[in-house]
Amino acid sequence: MSINSALLAGVSGLTANSAALAAISQNIANVNTIGYKRTQGEFSTVVNSQTTGAGYSAGGVLATARHYTSQAGQLQRTTSGTDLGISGQGFFVVTEKAENLNPTDARLFTRAGSFSVDNMGYLKNTAGLYLQGWPVDAAGNITTDPSDLTRLSTINVGSVGGTAEATTRVQLNANLQSSQNVSAAATAASTTPVGTGAYDPATNSMAMYDPEAGTGVKPDFEVTVPVSDSKGGQRTMAISFLKSSEPNQWYAEIRAIPADDVTTGAGLANGQLKTGIVAFTQDGRLDVDAMAALGADALFADPANATLNFGASDDAAPAAGGANWAAGLGIAEQTVSFDLTAAAGGLTQYDSASVVQATLTNGTAFGNLSEVQIDEKGFVTAIFDNGVTRQIAQIALATFPSPDSLSEVSGNAYRVSQGSGTFNLKGAGTGGAGMIGASQLEASTVDLSTEFTGLITTQRAYSASSKIITTADEMLAELISIKR
């Protein structure tokens, strides 16, 4: 009977509008939920099969929920460096537990990036879900995999200890006074035969100088250079200069202070690391060609490749002219390069007082973790108070062919569904994945004006559906009363 179908159509209208009201209520309740994606009830007509000449049978309406998961919310600035927002496509990969993850443990996906460091150092959002990323291996490399979730691990910033960085480069900006008087020891070294008390890097060197004992030769000028070893320990090198009687040439020695910090091979003594001659041009610059012509007699035959090599403490005895760190120090091998021809200065010989303008090194002493920063590519970097930075991990972003078809779970997260398609793991800014914004959070996509308007229309539609039922009831009552 058509009246019965009208009655049932009214019931379907009540059911459908109830579902729409539930979706609107969910949206309004989550208007301030970080990363929330609005849901909307959408209606579709239900049509019953009709028999010709038998009247019309109303089918009613069916409500389905449509999830706008792919709709991006506005990024809002925060004061926390671990708050993360995604500008573009992609979801953070999260898990419900931080440690001992198995392949069977659920991996969820979310845009809610309000992460903070928990008591174990893991990054966890307000729903208690832990952020996943590709870790840095022992060699400092990050190996990404677009399809294997088990290659991800929970990002931990609390397990990062202190670090140090060994010195590998020294830039020396210093001037040697060209009018420096030639000492008696240097003069004696240039006579034939060699005079009494002559300077000799092997038997009467600047490294042997001791005014109280009356040994060695006093340098005309000396520069000390701080050096950090592989453990962050502070070592000291000294570069001593003695003006030669040969114009534009100086004797030079590089030595360790104290001398027992190193073990040296034949030809070196008293902590010496390198000895030789430094030559200058007539306009006061380092004479690279002259030093190349000096060959083995030069401090560095090739000033552009001026390096000192220290063997490790546990290496075998050094060869002639070589040096190891002392066995008691227990430190690793090290190569220190000297920049003596820097455009900003370098080593010069002008007729002004001998002076050191700057000694620049790149090594650092031991430093503690001061902060953790996350850049737009998702690289998590530890910054130490000694200026050293070290990457910890890279945040993985998951993209889907149909993100609107993901299945919702509690905690403002999603699971893979048959309709969503399989995930694809990417680094931020690659393969269509969005960029990551640190100190930003994605706002809810709920628009209150739209929801309140929908609330009014849904209420009216519900009332109208109830009128269908009451009207159909009155018509049935009229039909029943015909017999009276």
Side-chain angles (χ1 to χ4, degrees):
M1 178 183 288
S2 297
I3 296 178
N4 285 338
S5 67
L7 191 65
L8 295 175
V11 172
S12 70
L14 293 178
T15 303
N17 284 287
S18 296
L21 179 64
I24 295 171
S25 302
Q26 178 82 349
N27 292 339
I28 294 175
N30 286 278
V31 67
N32 290 319
T33 300
I34 298 301
Y36 176 78
K37 305 301 180 182
R38 64 183 291 266
T39 299
Q40 180 176 310
E42 293 191 343
F43 303 108
S44 58
T45 304
V46 177
V47 178
N48 292 330
S49 58
Q50 308 293 328
T51 302
T52 304
Y56 182 81
S57 177
V61 64
L62 180 66
T64 56
R66 179 178 177 182
H67 305 285
Y68 291 87
T69 310
S70 60
Q71 183 179 348
Q74 293 291 329
L75 294 183
Q76 299 176 342
R77 182 67 58 179
T78 71
T79 57
S80 173
T82 56
D83 283 341
L84 305 176
I86 301 174
S87 176
Q89 299 182 38
F91 298 80
F92 298 114
V93 183
V94 292
T95 56
E96 296 175 328
K97 64 180 184 178
E99 300 174 334
N100 303 317
L101 289 171
N102 299 314
T104 56
D105 290 325
R107 269 68 172 183
L108 304 177
F109 308 93
T110 186
R111 301 269 293 195
S114 52
F115 295 100
S116 60
V117 182
D118 71 358
N119 61 342
M120 297 295 291
Y122 294 105
L123 289 178
K124 179 177 69 172
N125 70 7
T126 52
L129 301 175
Y130 294 91
L131 182 63
Q132 303 292 297
W134 292 293
V136 174
D137 62 21
N141 301 315
I142 297 176
T143 303
T144 62
D145 192 309
S147 59
D148 190 356
L149 284 172
T150 62
R151 300 289 291 272
L152 302 176
S153 63
T154 308
I155 296 177
N156 189 310
V157 299
S159 61
V160 182
T163 189
E165 187 175 90
T167 298
T168 59
R169 179 176 54 82
V170 174
Q171 180 179 321
L172 181 63
N173 294 334
N175 181 65
L176 304 178
Q177 186 173 7
S178 62
S179 59
Q180 171 73 43
N181 293 326
V182 179
S183 66
T187 301
S190 63
T191 62
T192 304
V194 175
T196 303
Y199 167 75
D200 187 290
T203 60
N204 192 34
S205 67
M206 290 180 276
M208 297 170 58
Y209 178 64
D210 186 342
E212 295 182 0
T215 58
V217 176
K218 180 181 180 181
D220 290 329
F221 187 64
E222 188 168 83
V223 180
T224 57
V225 179
V227 175
S228 295
D229 61 33
S230 61
K231 292 181 178 178
Q234 293 301 290
R235 309 294 162 198
T236 302
M237 290 191 302
I239 307 176
S240 303
F241 297 95
L242 181 70
K243 187 139 188 326
S244 170
S245 58
E246 184 72 23
N248 298 323
Q249 289 188 3
W250 294 67
Y251 299 110
E253 295 180 14
I254 304 176
R255 73 181 195 277
I257 301 176
D260 58 9
D261 269 0
V262 293
T263 301
T264 55
L268 299 174
N270 302 295
Q272 289 174 326
L273 301 170
K274 188 80 171 174
T275 64
I277 295 173
V278 177
F280 296 91
T281 62
Q282 293 184 8
D283 60 0
R285 305 296 297 180
L286 200 66
D287 194 336
V288 176
D289 293 335
M291 292 182 68
L294 288 168
D297 292 332
L299 182 65
F300 296 106
D302 181 8
N305 187 29
T307 59
L308 281 180
N309 296 308
F310 295 84
S313 295
D314 58 356
D315 281 356
N324 293 351
W325 289 116
L329 298 178
I331 52 181
E333 63 183 8
Q334 188 170 351
T335 298
V336 179
S337 300
F338 290 83
D339 185 0
L340 304 176
T341 59
L347 190 60
T348 60
Q349 181 197 237
Y350 297 120
D351 195 9
S352 60
S354 296
V355 64
V356 178
Q357 283 92 8
T359 302
L360 307 176
T361 65
N362 67 337
T364 58
F366 178 84
N368 294 303
L369 180 68
S370 60
E371 65 174 311
V372 173
Q373 289 186 353
I374 302 173
D375 65 16
E376 62 181 8
K377 293 290 188 180
F379 289 102
V380 183
T381 303
I383 300 176
F384 299 86
D385 56 14
N386 60 358
V388 175
T389 61
R390 190 169 71 196
Q391 286 187 348
I392 302 172
Q394 183 182 12
I395 297 170
L397 296 183
T399 60
F400 297 86
S402 179
D404 289 343
S405 300
L406 288 167
S407 298
E408 287 185 296
V409 297
S410 296
N412 201 14
Y414 304 89
R415 293 184 190 273
V416 177
S417 71
Q418 186 175 4
S420 68
T422 188
F423 59 84
N424 198 333
L425 301 178
K426 303 170 183 176
T430 63
M435 306 297 284
I436 292 178
S439 299
Q440 298 181 69
L441 288 175
E442 184 177 2
S444 169
T445 57
V446 174
D447 180 0
L448 279 180
S449 61
T450 301
E451 301 305 324
F452 283 135
T453 301
L455 197 63
I456 294 170
T457 57
T458 300
Q459 180 186 15
R460 293 304 183 191
Y462 188 90
S463 298
S465 295
S466 68
K467 289 296 183 182
I468 295 174
I469 296 174
T470 58
T471 301
D473 178 58
E474 291 174 358
M475 291 175 68
L476 285 172
E478 286 292 333
L479 182 61
I480 294 171
S481 66
I482 289 175
K483 187 179 178 181
R484 293 178 184 175

